[in-house]
Amino acid sequence: MLSCKPDTFTPKPRGYFAVDFPKHEYRLFDQPGYPYTFEYPVYANITKDTMFFEKKAENPWWINIDFPNVGGRIYVSYKEISEKQTLEKLLDDAHRLTFYHDKKADYIEPQEFKNKNGVQGLLFSVGGNAASAYQFVASDSTRHFMRGALYFDVTPNADSLKPMNEFLRKDMEHMLMTMKWRN
């Protein structure tokens, strides 16, 4: 008799909004003066990054790749390898920035890649409630060095961001596989 009361409240599990993902289609980023080219999604916007923590960006080739449909952004920085900025120093800085997330991450797993254009590097998968689920470094080991990190404009929650992270990982992989350096 007690179990059939019409005004009994039953808590429901927390849910997340469904996201309709577009088809993976790409276009070429090939701006004059930039030392790199790559293919990026047609549903993304690229803007020049002119500021770095309230300071002017180090060089004119830093960009942001925005995904307005999911509130994500890949921050892309580019540096020329030189005597002052050796490949070893740039890699150390990139690893330090990536492994800064180990405070919240369940794991950080690097995966090596090399494309047909001679671009090689690492794509890091960062598990758990870290602020960035994917980061990468790409280089030719002599002149060009690029670093990228995917962030969302929300509090990190691995469960709710999982569909967006998995969807955008394919785009990051495509970008890295189509990247070319200009000499």
Side-chain angles (χ1 to χ4, degrees), residues 43-147:
Y43 42 84
N45 303 314
I46 294 184
T47 56
K48 188 173 184 174
D49 190 354
T50 57
M51 299 300 286
F52 181 70
F53 292 110
E54 309 300 323
K55 296 179 183 175
K56 186 178 179 188
E58 189 174 312
N59 65 53
W61 306 302
W62 290 20
I63 60 172
N64 296 323
I65 306 171
D66 292 312
F67 300 91
N69 60 330
V70 295
R73 174 180 278 177
I74 301 174
Y75 294 89
V76 178
S77 58
Y78 171 87
K79 296 186 179 191
E80 289 182 337
I81 298 171
S82 65
E83 286 184 27
K84 184 178 177 185
Q85 296 195 78
T86 64
L87 178 61
E88 183 178 341
K89 181 186 180 317
L90 294 170
L91 285 170
D92 285 346
D93 289 348
H95 278 85
R96 182 179 44 78
L97 290 168
T98 299
F99 282 88
Y100 176 79
H101 295 282
D102 69 357
K103 295 174 183 95
K104 293 279 186 177
D106 294 338
Y107 62 87
I108 299 176
E109 183 179 295
Q111 177 184 345
E112 293 182 19
F113 71 87
K114 184 173 183 176
N115 73 19
K116 65 182 184 211
N117 303 313
V119 177
Q120 58 190 354
L122 296 169
L123 175 62
F124 296 93
S125 296
V126 183
N129 290 328
S132 174
Y134 297 110
Q135 299 192 21
F136 69 85
V137 292
S139 181
D140 64 356
S141 75
T142 57
R143 183 170 176 207
H144 304 281
F145 185 86
M146 181 182 282
R147 180 179 183 281

Side-chain angles (χ1 to χ4, degrees), residues 151-180:
Y151 288 90
F152 290 92
D153 193 21
V154 295
T155 302
N157 181 322
D159 290 336
S160 64
L161 291 174
K162 184 177 180 178
M164 278 75 75
N165 280 322
E166 289 177 354
F167 180 79
L168 293 179
R169 179 187 172 111
K170 290 179 184 174
D171 292 333
M172 289 180 80
E173 289 173 341
H174 185 87
M175 176 184 150
L176 295 170
M177 290 299 110
T178 60
M179 186 177 292
K180 294 180 189 175

